Structures are given as C-alpha cells and as structure tokens.
Amino acid sequence: MKSFEVNFDGLVGPTHNYGGLSFGNVASQSNSQQASNPKEAALQGLEKMKALMDMGFVQGVLAPQERPDVAALRSLGFSGTDAQVIERAAKDAMPLLVASCSASSMWVANAATVSPSADTADGRVHFTAANLNCKFHRSIEHPTTSRVLGAMFADQQHFAHHAALPAVAQFGDEGAANHTRFCRDYGEAGVEFFVYGRSAFDSRYPAPQKYPARQTLEASQAVARLHGLSEEGVVFAQQNPAVIDQGVFHNDVIAVGNGELLFHHQDAFLNTEAMLDELRRKLAARGATFESISVPRDQVTVDDAVRSYLFNSQLLSRADGSMLLIVPEECRANPRVWSYLQGLTSAGGPIREVKVFDLKQSMQNGGGPACLRLRVALNETELAAVNPGVIMSAPLYDTLTGWVNKHYRDALRESDLADPQLLLECRTALDELTQILKLGSVYPFQIN
Ligand code: SUG
C-alpha cells in the first residue's frame, strides 16, 4: 500500500498582528508594534500550499481560530456584551486584548504531535493537541485545535485523539515543533525523535538561563505513552540550553528531519554523538540507514540560523528519492547561509534542490515554512478517511484566495484590535470557511 507525508498548513487568520508576545522568540520581540498585513500573510501561506500541491505533494489546510477570543477575556473577568468585553479589555488591560487577538494558531507545527499508524500500538494515527502553556496567547488554542483536528480526522477506526496534557509548565508541550519522525518509508515503522528543553522533575538536567525551555522531557514522555510508541521506536534528546538562550525556542529552529535524514546545526543538541548513535541503531533495527548532516558553526552561526530560519525549512522526499528543501527568503538574504546551501545542493548528498518562498508576514513573528505545517504520514486507506474538504486542490486554492481577498484587511495595528467590528468580520469569515472546508461547527461562536 502507498503511503504519503501530507503537509497540513495553517491558514493565517484575519487578526494576524505583531503583538510582541513571545519572550525568547527574537522575531516576535523585534517586530512588536509594527503594522501587519493579514491579507498578504494569508496569501503568502496559500501560495506555498499551492506550489507544493503543483509539485505533486499531497497538501492539506488547517483552519485558523476565532479571534479575539472573547471567552478567554471573560474568563479573566471582563464582562458585558462581546463589544463591551473588548472595549473594557482595551481600556484596562491592552496586553490581554492583544494576546486574545493573536493569530498564532497559524503555526500548526505547534498544534499537536502526530504518530503514524505504523508506529502505534493500536495501529491508528494518534494526535495529542499541544497545551502550549508557556505563553497565554498560545495556551488558549488547544480546545479549538482539538475540535478542528477532530473534524478533519473524524474516523475513529483510523484516528485517535488525545486531549492536551495538564496545563502546567511541568508538562509544557509545543507539539510537532519538537518532534521528528525518521523512517525508511512513511508506511513502515519508524523512530520518533522527541527533543526537550528541560526536565521538570529531575534537577540533574541543565536548563537555559535567559529564555524559557518550552518543552519538558516529561511532556514528551507522556505523549509517547499516550500514542503507544515502543521503546525501540523512540529517542529522547535534550536541546542545547545555550541555543535556547540565543533564541532557539523550538527544536525546529535548529534541526529538521525527514525519511532517514537529520539536518541540524552542530550546536543543536546535548550529547550529540550518543544521540546520533541511538538513532542509527534503532533505525537499523527497522531496516533503515540513518544519516545526519551537521552544519558547522564556523560556516553558519546559531545567530545566522535564528535570523535566517535555515532549519525551519521543509525537507521533502521527491519521487526519485532525492530531497528538496523549502526555505524562507531570509536564507537567500544571508550570504553565509546562502553559500552553505549552494555547497550543500552541489555536493551530491541527499538534498539536491532548494526552493525559496516569501513568507515575510509570518517570519516577522518567528514562523517559517516548517512552523506553518503539520506533517501527517498516512497510508492510502487513511488518506481516503480524511475529510476531503481540507485537501488542497486547484479549485479549493481559488476559493480560499477569493475568501481571503473578500474578508481580510490589508493593515492591522494595535489600535485596530479594539475595534469590535474586527470580531464580527472574523466570525463572518470563519462561518463561511467552515462551509468551504466542510468542518461543521468548530468555533465557540458556532457551538455556544
Ligand atoms: O510560539 N510566535 C510563535 C511562533 C511559533 C513558531 N513555531 C515553530 N517554531 N514551530 C511562538 O513564539 C508571536 C506572536 C506575536 O508576537 O504577535 C508568536 O506567537
């Protein structure tokens, strides 16, 4: 049976803005308060989806969320009509209104961790929604994320969904951004690689000093247990705390893997050699030949990696077995990164081609190509069981670009977030979107 890696990209929501909400994320901090362009952001994302589809990859789309999140503001004590809730929050606690307006659910690499059926004990594809509890604006995503994933992967014979882990920092979970799956073929049992930033229960593990480590070892272990992964099918590795302190807030800012290949920065991990040995050994037992490409710090610094998002790229397998790297425009703008990439593709190794995309609107908040997609490996039967409304096609692309052009603003500043009209615009757009994507009722305004 044929198997695929399907990329489900987050559709950027109508309230995309630069709130400066993510301490430890250099781009989010440095672009705070700039005017954003939600329409351009959504169209840039759709263009990437269309390009991948045109290259022959199966591409899906993951819906954005209802923002401002009036229910979150109510839970913090703001009351009255929806318009009054927004007005009162704007007057008394602007940072909370900004957080409740974030379109951060677009970075669906943080939506959930996904284990393909070949790896799990019950032979189903497992999803655990990420609690994202390090940042308030992200911690409010998972209830709707769970409903949207439930509407996309509804067939219980093939798909199992787990609620987010307990919402405490000890189980901080950021989903697939800290999870990579290696395998020989997407349909065969593989090895799932969980990267954590700290241990919450064992003080012997080092931790960053300046910026938060969002993912804990204990969260990663809990996800592996929930998904029924075997000891032979998992490797846990610690991220180098020193790189977290340089702005590497998720592992996918410093490493990316696909198939039998791990592409990473020299400084990405602790105990790198032992970790690579374990991956090699466990993959060999699955009949796979593990390979790694370590990018030396004297060619590309950690700072280069953070600013260019070289590793926040999509590593895709082409039909001829070679790989393609999808990188953001910022990689071409950095001479060291660009020259490294030229050398890489001409070296005759597995990565043969680099394609560049303009994702500036998302990049300015710290979200590159890899942040914008959730990978789900599926066999033919499972793919046929996915809600067909969310699989990208030429007509769906046209419908979605028309929908964006109709509903989205082309400029959003902090002061615009207080406009109660924005909530109405967002709800009108999302109501139409649930019909386009055939999701049923998934948003709070549709179910309450
Ligand atoms: O969680 N930025 C997101 C970026 C997430 C990127 N995801 C991955 N690397 N997988 C974050 O820090 C910024 C929002 C703002 O400042 O307006 C933000 O949430």
Side-chain angles (χ1 to χ4, degrees):
M1 191 171 359
K2 267 178 86 173
S3 301
F4 314 84
E5 177 189 270
V6 185
N7 284 277
F8 291 88
D9 274 44
L11 186 55
V12 177
T15 61
H16 161 62
N17 74 97
Y18 299 119
L21 298 170
S22 282
F23 177 63
N25 167 343
V26 176
S28 153
Q29 296 283 277
S30 46
N31 293 303
S32 174
Q33 306 283 320
Q34 272 196 41
S36 64
N37 184 336
K39 185 179 283 183
E40 185 177 59
L43 295 176
Q44 286 175 342
L46 280 165
E47 206 165 299
K48 173 164 90 73
M49 296 184 224
K50 165 91 163 39
L52 265 70
M53 176 189 76
D54 288 344
M55 284 183 247
F57 297 104
V58 188
Q59 177 69 52
V61 56
L62 221 154
Q65 303 209 351
E66 178 188 346
R67 294 290 180 270
D69 186 335
V70 179
L73 292 172
R74 287 187 191 281
S75 76
L76 298 173
F78 300 102
S79 59
T81 61
D82 288 346
Q84 285 167 332
V85 167
I86 291 167
E87 189 191 320
R88 287 169 185 168
K91 186 164 149 287
D92 297 344
M94 196 57 193
L96 300 184
L97 177 63
V98 175
S100 81
C101 287
S102 179
S104 54
S105 68
M106 72 173 87
W107 300 298
V108 293
N110 304 117
T113 307
V114 186
S115 294
S117 56
D119 296 351
T120 63
D122 67 0
R124 294 190 292 169
V125 184
H126 282 245
F127 299 80
T128 296
N131 62 27
L132 297 173
N133 92 319
C134 182
K135 311 281 175 205
F136 171 66
H137 71 287
R138 304 222 57 185
S139 71
I140 56 180
E141 291 173 25
H142 70 85
T144 297
T145 300
S146 289
R147 282 193 297 273
V148 172
L149 289 174
M152 294 165 68
F153 304 96
D155 187 337
Q156 294 183 12
Q157 197 192 327
H158 297 294
F159 308 119
H161 295 273
H162 305 278
L165 298 178
V168 289
Q170 287 162 311
F171 291 106
D173 177 21
E174 302 269 326
N178 296 311
H179 172 261
T180 310
R181 175 175 185 258
F182 299 104
C183 57
R184 190 173 62 176
D185 179 275
Y186 296 122
E188 292 176 10
V191 173
E192 300 198 18
F193 180 50
F194 290 85
V195 181
Y196 55 92
R198 69 186 176 100
S199 164
F201 290 86
D202 188 337
S203 58
R204 288 171 303 180
Y205 290 80
Q209 302 299 305
K210 187 173 162 199
Y211 292 144
R214 298 196 196 183
Q215 181 84 32
T216 69
L217 168 62
E218 292 78 6
S220 298
Q221 289 170 329
V223 171
R225 268 192 301 272
L226 284 165
H227 292 194
L229 305 181
S230 66
E231 168 67 33
E232 309 77 61
V234 291
V235 171
F236 296 95
Q238 183 162 8
Q239 211 182 344
N240 178 356
V243 302
I244 297 179
D245 281 339
Q246 289 172 78
V248 182
F249 57 98
H250 288 135
N251 178 59
D252 70 5
V253 177
I254 197 100
V256 59
N258 172 52
E260 296 167 294
L261 179 66
L262 172 64
F263 178 57
H264 68 96
H265 191 271
Q266 180 181 5
D267 295 326
F269 308 103
L270 286 184
N271 308 317
T272 309
E273 285 315 313
M275 176 272 279
L276 293 175
D277 279 348
E278 189 180 350
L279 280 170
R280 203 170 291 121
R281 183 168 47 77
K282 288 185 168 170
L283 275 153
R286 302 274 205 240
T289 313
F290 177 70
E291 193 180 339
S292 64
I293 299 177
S294 170
V295 179
R297 68 176 83 87
D298 60 10
Q299 287 185 48
V300 173
T301 65
V302 172
D303 191 56
D304 288 328
V306 169
R307 288 178 196 281
S308 69
Y309 263 36
L310 166 60
F311 298 98
N312 199 261
S313 46
Q314 286 180 256
L315 192 53
L316 301 164
S317 294
R318 301 192 290 194
D320 67 358
S322 70
M323 289 195 200
L324 163 71
L325 197 68
I326 304 282
V327 301
E329 195 67 66
E330 286 71 3
C331 286
R332 186 150 53 189
N334 180 312
R336 278 180 303 280
V337 169
W338 193 241
S339 112
Y340 176 82
L341 284 172
Q342 313 275 255
L344 180 73
T345 47
S346 54
I351 304 177
R352 295 287 163 77
E353 196 190 350
V354 170
K355 275 199 193 296
V356 180
F357 282 82
D358 180 3
L359 296 163
K360 186 159 188 258
Q361 285 289 325
S362 168
M363 283 290 288
Q364 293 189 142
N365 250 340
C371 300
L372 287 163
R373 59 94 173 95
L374 181 67
R375 297 190 276 190
V376 185
L378 298 167
N379 63 33
E380 277 172 314
T381 316
E382 291 155 355
L383 181 57
V386 176
N387 178 343
V390 298
I391 300 298
M392 189 52 83
S393 62
L396 180 59
Y397 171 77
D398 289 340
T399 305
L400 289 175
T401 49
W403 172 82
V404 168
N405 281 318
K406 174 174 162 200
H407 293 286
Y408 282 46
R409 299 189 185 191
D410 55 15
L412 210 55
R413 287 169 200 83
E414 190 180 272
S415 54
D416 299 321
L417 303 178
D419 176 5
Q421 189 60 32
L422 187 63
L423 174 67
L424 299 180
E425 284 171 27
C426 185
R427 286 181 176 170
T428 305
L430 294 184
D431 211 31
E432 210 175 297
L433 184 68
T434 50
Q435 292 166 45
I436 295 171
L437 300 179
K438 305 197 171 41
L439 292 174
S441 297
V442 288
Y443 295 117
F445 76 90
Q446 295 175 317
I447 56 184
N448 291 327

